Amino acid sequence: MTNFVKEACVESLEEALKAEKLGADRVELCADLSQDGITPERNVIVKAKVQLKIPFRVMIRPRGGDFVYSEAEFEVMKQDIEFCKAIGVEGVVFGILKEDKTLDLDRISTLVAFSKPLKVVIHKAIDETPDLLKATEELSKIDGISTILSSGGKAAAKEGISTLNGMIAIAGNKLEIMPAGRVTNKNLDEIHKSIGARAYHGRRILGAF
C-alpha cells in the first residue's frame, strides 16, 4: 500500500473511469491535453460527478496558450468555477500570470475566494515564473489554496527534484506540493524516494490509457 495519492490527468470521461479502475486515488479532469488541458465541457463534468466514485478536480482554463487572461476570459473562469461549485466537485485547478510571468496574485486571490469551499490547485503556470520559491511563498499566504502542481520549473519532475524539495520546505503544512511532469508508473517510486511528497500527478501515473 502506498502512502501517497496518485492523481491521474485525463481528458475524457472514459479515461477518468479507466483511471479509477486502474487504481487512481483522484483524477484531474481536462479537455484537450494537446494544449496542456483546458476546461472540459459541462456535460462531461456532470457525467463524471455521477459516475466516478473517486474525487476529481476540474481544470479551469478557457483556452490554450499563455496564462495571461483578458477580463472576458477571467469572467468565463468565474462562471466555470460557479458551475463546479453548484454540482459539488472536489476541487478546481487554475493559474494566472502577469505579462512579466510573475503570479497575478490579485486575480488568483479573487478566484480562490470565489472557489470556496472547493479545494484549489494552482497548476503548472507557476513553472513559468522567474522564481518558484518566491512564488510558493506568495501562494502560501493566500488562504484557501490547498495544492500547487509543479515540475520544479523543468520539463520533468525528475529534473526539478531540488526545486520541488525547496518548495515543499517553504509550503510546510500550509500547502501540498504535487510533483508533475512525466511522472509515470515506471518512475513514481524512484521520484517518491527523492521527494517524499503526499501526492503525485501524471498522464501515465498508472501506465498508458
Side-chain angles (χ1 to χ4, degrees):
M1 182 158 167
T2 55
N3 57 347
F4 52 79
V5 168
K6 287 184 277 191
E7 179 180 279
C9 179
V10 301
E11 66 176 352
S12 68
L13 176 63
E14 292 70 29
E15 286 187 357
L17 292 167
K18 191 161 186 188
E20 180 178 69
K21 200 172 177 184
L22 289 170
D25 301 296
R26 188 169 65 215
V27 160
E28 181 191 86
L29 185 62
C30 307
D32 200 354
L33 287 173
S34 68
Q35 298 189 73
D36 293 325
I38 57 173
T39 307
E41 296 288 335
R42 291 188 177 186
N43 66 318
V44 175
I45 301 171
V46 171
K47 286 176 184 171
K49 176 65 180 165
V50 171
Q51 295 183 44
L52 283 174
K53 296 179 181 70
I54 57 173
F56 71 100
R57 298 170 177 185
V58 177
M59 173 66 78
I60 304 295
R61 189 175 176 220
R63 57 162 171 79
D66 64 27
F67 302 103
V68 182
Y69 298 114
S70 67
E71 268 309 310
E73 288 167 339
F74 187 57
E75 284 306 312
V76 168
M77 293 172 84
K78 280 186 182 175
Q79 289 164 19
D80 288 335
I81 290 169
E82 188 61 49
F83 178 78
C84 289
K85 281 166 67 173
I87 70 163
V89 306
E90 190 202 47
V92 287
V93 184
F94 56 79
I96 307 177
L97 301 180
K98 294 180 180 176
E99 294 282 357
D100 64 0
K101 298 285 184 93
T102 59
L103 294 171
D104 190 334
L105 294 168
D106 288 343
R107 278 176 152 190
I108 288 171
S109 297
T110 299
L111 286 191
V112 170
F114 194 72
S115 299
K116 289 178 180 175
L118 303 184
K119 291 186 183 296
V120 170
V121 182
I122 302 301
H123 61 43
K124 287 184 68 182
I126 193 174
D127 286 346
E128 295 189 12
T129 62
D131 186 339
L132 268 79
L133 299 185
K134 183 184 177 189
T136 302
E137 203 164 324
E138 289 169 338
L139 292 173
S140 72
K141 292 172 183 167
I142 300 174
D143 181 43
I145 297 174
S146 56
T147 302
I148 297 172
L149 181 71
S150 174
S151 57
K154 304 291 185 184
K158 205 171 170 184
E159 296 162 17
I161 281 172
S162 62
T163 301
L164 285 163
N165 279 326
M167 292 169 73
I168 288 169
I170 288 167
N173 293 323
K174 295 178 199 165
L175 290 171
E176 173 185 86
I177 304 297
M178 181 161 55
R182 299 181 194 162
V183 177
T184 70
N185 59 326
K186 302 271 199 306
N187 63 20
L188 178 55
D189 288 338
E190 182 192 347
I191 290 170
H192 182 60
K193 280 176 191 165
S194 301
I195 300 176
R198 289 175 279 171
Y200 297 87
H201 170 100
R203 177 83 177 125
R204 293 175 178 265
I205 201 162
L206 302 156
F209 290 120

